[in-house]
Amino acid sequence: MPDGLPHGAQPDPEHEGWYTWGDFPRGSFASRTGRLLFRPDGPGRGLTRMFPDGSHQNMGGSIHGGAVMSFIDMSLFAGGRCAGMAEGHYVTLDCHTRFVARGRIGVPLDAQVRLLKQTPGGLVFFDGHCEQDGEICYAFTGTLKKITQRGADGPRR
């Protein structure tokens, strides 16, 4: 397997050259995205893919903006690791999405993630875009922060 894949990545049996974590835990928010594929795409770049279906559709028949933004957020992590982001646990600090064109149901949606910079303090800056059949649908930027503690034991008061 190539270096730089996210922890737990396995070759996807149905899509040669792609990797996956398999199915997300049933009932988790991440499972709503469906199968997430990823792979390195050259130095400083990662590629992710989702398969939009009827569960991702908005009232106008396009991919719902919330589904798009969830996919992009997940792409910052999986695609970011494929692009060379250091191992560790990260949280999203910001994510900005531009809706350039309508995304179509039934057509794979690919996110091209580019790692712009990692700082010694644990900030990682990205940009990228999503496309279907070579047409850009969405553009994005995002920042992740490496943290030392995972999870939370409830609200802080």
Side-chain angles (χ1 to χ4, degrees):
M1 284 206 289
D3 291 335
L5 288 173
H7 180 74
Q10 297 297 320
D12 188 86
E14 298 173 22
H15 302 93
E16 187 174 339
W18 290 89
Y19 297 86
T20 184
W21 287 302
D23 293 330
F24 292 105
R26 190 179 190 125
S28 69
F29 186 82
S31 71
R32 304 299 189 262
T33 301
R35 194 159 212 54
L36 178 71
L37 304 180
F38 45 84
R39 67 182 187 201
D41 192 38
R45 296 188 330 232
L47 190 62
T48 61
R49 176 174 284 173
M50 74 171 284
F51 301 92
D53 61 28
S55 70
H56 303 111
Q57 187 170 307
N58 65 18
M59 297 298 286
S62 301
I63 304 173
H64 191 283
V68 169
M69 292 188 291
S70 293
F71 169 61
I72 289 171
D73 183 58
M74 294 168 71
S75 294
L76 293 176
F77 291 85
R81 185 71 182 104
C82 290
M85 179 174 70
E87 284 190 50
H89 185 68
Y90 294 82
V91 295
T92 305
L93 291 184
D94 68 43
C95 184
H96 176 80
T97 304
R98 288 191 177 92
F99 293 79
V100 179
R102 293 169 55 127
R104 294 170 286 147
I105 300 299
V107 179
L109 181 65
D110 293 341
Q112 296 185 11
V113 179
R114 185 170 63 128
L115 191 154
L116 300 174
K117 183 175 180 75
Q118 293 184 83
T119 70
L123 294 175
V124 189
F125 300 90
F126 298 99
D127 73 2
H129 68 270
C130 298
E131 60 183 57
Q132 289 180 309
D133 291 334
E135 180 185 350
I136 294 176
C137 307
Y138 315 101
F140 60 87
T141 60
T143 310
L144 302 183
K145 169 70 175 156
K146 190 172 186 178
I147 61 171
T148 56
Q149 291 184 327
R150 289 183 69 145
D153 51 24
R156 303 275 182 217
R157 299 182 194 215

